[in-house]
Every structure is written in structure tokens, then in C-alpha cells.
Amino acid sequence: QWWQGTLNTSSEPIIELGDVFDFFRHPQKHFLRRQLAVRLKTLDSVIEEREPFRIEKLEKYKVQHDWLQKQLQGETVSVNRLKAEGLWLSGILGDLEFERQSANISEFADKIHAKQLGEQIEDVVIDLHVMGYRLVGKLAHCYENGSLYYRYTSLKGKDFMSALLHHLVINQVQSQSTYLFS
């Protein structure tokens, strides 16, 4: 962390902002990691050497999320590149699905652009004193005219918590709106 190695001359205990977000996004997982030092490992998936006939949900979410990020940055996504990387359906069915998804993602990106948040800015450094504690860290998702959280799927409780915590913390530094899109 950027503040490790600096001398904490105050008697206030330091709480890392990332730990606060981790706790509220998934309290059980945070408890296992921080209090019991238990880490749950996931199995690495094996890359298949075949063309996909359908897109798995997790793969589809990642592709759509990356696609949306590029769309928001003004970049284009090529169906041929997705196919070459094995991330998209091949043939005419893939082309039709790409056109359908392209329209949906463009519509979603237009709704975000309508908020006129401006360009994304560097992470905001936080160093707050709250009820005898010192809250330190950095906040991402900041733009010139507000904060933005988005998810190109159904929202989960952790999304609401992240956006709410972000909004509460950033408004201690500067007054602004926080937007959550799904």
C-alpha cells in the first residue's frame, strides 16, 4: 500500500478503504481471509482447442463488460477478432448474435454518456478521520462530473453496497453524484 512505511504519528488506528469495501461486498469471505487466514482457491480453467458452439455465462459477461468499456472509450469491437480469440460463436449465428448484442451495448453506453460525466480521472486519495479511526486509501470510478458504477447484467447486493460506500466516502472529500447503471 502507498502509505505503508510512513510513520503514523497519531494514535488513531488505520483502516484501509479497500478492506471496508471488501467487507461490505462479501462479509463471509472477508471474515475467512482476515480473521481465519483461510483462502479459497479456484481451479484454473483449461483453454479448449475448439470453436465455441455457445458462450458460457461467465465468459459472456466478461466479453460484454470489456466490449462496453471499449464502447465507452470510443473504441470499436470486431466480431472477427472475438471469433479469432475463441470468445464468440462462429458462422452466421455468431454474426447475428454480434449485431444484436452490438445494438444493446450501444444503447446501454448511450444511457451512460447521457449523464455527461466527462473523462475518467485519476483515483482520488482518501485520508479521513472518522470517530477515532483513520480511513485511508484510493477511490476509483471517478469522473470529472461524478462517479460511475456500471454492470452489464443484473445488479447484485455488492454493487449497491460498493456504490453507496463510494458515494458516502467521496462526498466527505467533495460533493458529487454517484451513478449506478445496470
Side-chain angles (χ1 to χ4, degrees), residues 5-132:
T6 61
L7 183 60
N8 181 16
T9 57
S10 72
S11 61
E12 297 174 316
I14 294 177
I15 299 176
E16 210 292 48
L17 191 56
D19 287 341
V20 175
F21 276 83
D22 288 345
F23 172 79
F24 281 102
R25 276 193 294 251
H26 203 299
Q28 300 86 350
K29 187 176 184 179
H30 183 79
F31 176 76
L32 285 172
R33 284 188 177 172
R34 299 292 291 198
Q35 298 300 318
L36 303 177
V38 174
R39 299 216 184 263
L40 303 174
K41 294 183 180 181
T42 59
L43 297 175
D44 292 333
S45 60
V46 177
I47 297 174
E48 296 184 25
E49 294 287 333
R50 62 177 181 82
E51 291 194 30
F53 291 101
R54 64 186 172 107
I55 303 170
E56 300 297 327
K57 277 187 172 183
L58 188 57
E59 290 171 350
K60 184 176 181 180
Y61 171 75
K62 183 176 176 355
V63 168
Q64 290 173 335
H65 181 76
D66 293 344
W67 187 349
L68 178 59
Q69 280 184 313
K70 287 181 180 178
Q71 181 89 25
L72 289 171
Q73 295 168 353
E75 298 175 25
T76 59
V77 175
S78 162
V79 67
N80 292 332
R81 182 171 184 166
L82 290 174
K83 286 179 181 180
E85 293 173 359
L87 299 172
W88 204 256
L89 303 170
S90 60
I92 191 71
L93 291 176
D95 294 341
L96 293 172
E97 179 64 15
F98 182 85
E99 291 301 319
R100 189 178 69 79
Q101 286 298 321
S102 182
N104 291 340
I105 289 174
S106 292
E107 181 182 335
F108 190 77
D110 289 344
K111 288 179 183 178
I112 292 173
H113 282 302
K115 292 297 179 189
Q116 299 178 349
L117 294 171
E119 296 295 318
Q120 190 166 9
I121 62 174
E122 288 185 33
D123 295 351
V124 176
V125 175
I126 302 297
D127 189 351
L128 299 173
H129 300 273
V130 182
M131 299 176 66

Side-chain angles (χ1 to χ4, degrees), residues 2-3 14-18 20-21 122-130 133-140 142 147 165-174 176:
W2 59 271
W3 63 87
I14 294 177
I15 299 176
E16 210 292 48
L17 191 56
V20 175
F21 276 83
E122 288 185 33
D123 295 351
V124 176
V125 175
I126 302 297
D127 189 351
L128 299 173
H129 300 273
V130 182
Y133 292 91
R134 189 169 165 208
L135 184 62
V136 295
K138 291 184 179 183
L139 283 180
C142 298
S147 298
L165 286 171
H166 180 95
H167 181 75
L168 294 172
V169 172
I170 194 71
N171 277 276
Q172 295 300 309
V173 176
Q174 60 196 34
Q176 69 177 35

